[in-house]
Amino acid sequence: LRKDSTGKEKIAVVCNFTPVVRQNYRIGVNEKGVWTEVFNSDAPEYGGSGVHNTSVETELIMYHGKRFSITLTLPPLAAVYLRWDEG
């Protein structure tokens, strides 16, 4: 997770270093809101298979020591960048 100096712009980077698509992959996040995919190295324009996320809403499920969490589909051998919005 990276954020700007104000703490309002947040980007989460999630990598899958395996050749297998990971469905329902849960990660913990700090705040309630919506996470929108802004970059995916598995996109067809980069020669990938096109497995992607659009927007995912946080759930009040504690995970990784965080109060909220999101569930993602992770493409094989790829990195996804998601931007947070308060929603």
Side-chain angles (χ1 to χ4, degrees):
L1 180 66
R2 292 293 179 250
K3 55 188 172 184
D4 70 357
S5 60
T6 68
K8 293 186 181 198
E9 294 273 338
K10 296 179 180 85
I11 297 283
V13 179
V14 185
C15 300
N16 179 7
F17 296 115
T18 73
V20 178
V21 174
R22 301 293 181 189
Q23 301 283 346
N24 301 311
Y25 191 87
R26 185 173 297 278
I27 63 168
V29 294
N30 289 319
E31 289 100 5
K32 179 179 179 180
V34 176
W35 291 84
T36 303
E37 188 174 275
V38 294
F39 174 78
N40 181 333
S41 67
D42 190 55
E45 56 262 42
Y46 304 121
S49 64
V51 174
H52 69 279
N53 301 271
T54 49
S55 293
V56 292
E57 206 165 320
T58 56
E59 299 176 79
L60 187 54
I61 297 174
M62 189 170 193
Y63 208 78
H64 292 135
K66 310 289 184 187
R67 185 172 178 203
F68 299 96
S69 60
I70 56 175
T71 303
L72 304 169
T73 298
L74 298 183
L77 301 169
V80 295
Y81 288 49
L82 302 122
R83 182 182 60 231
W84 176 76
D85 183 16
E86 290 182 69

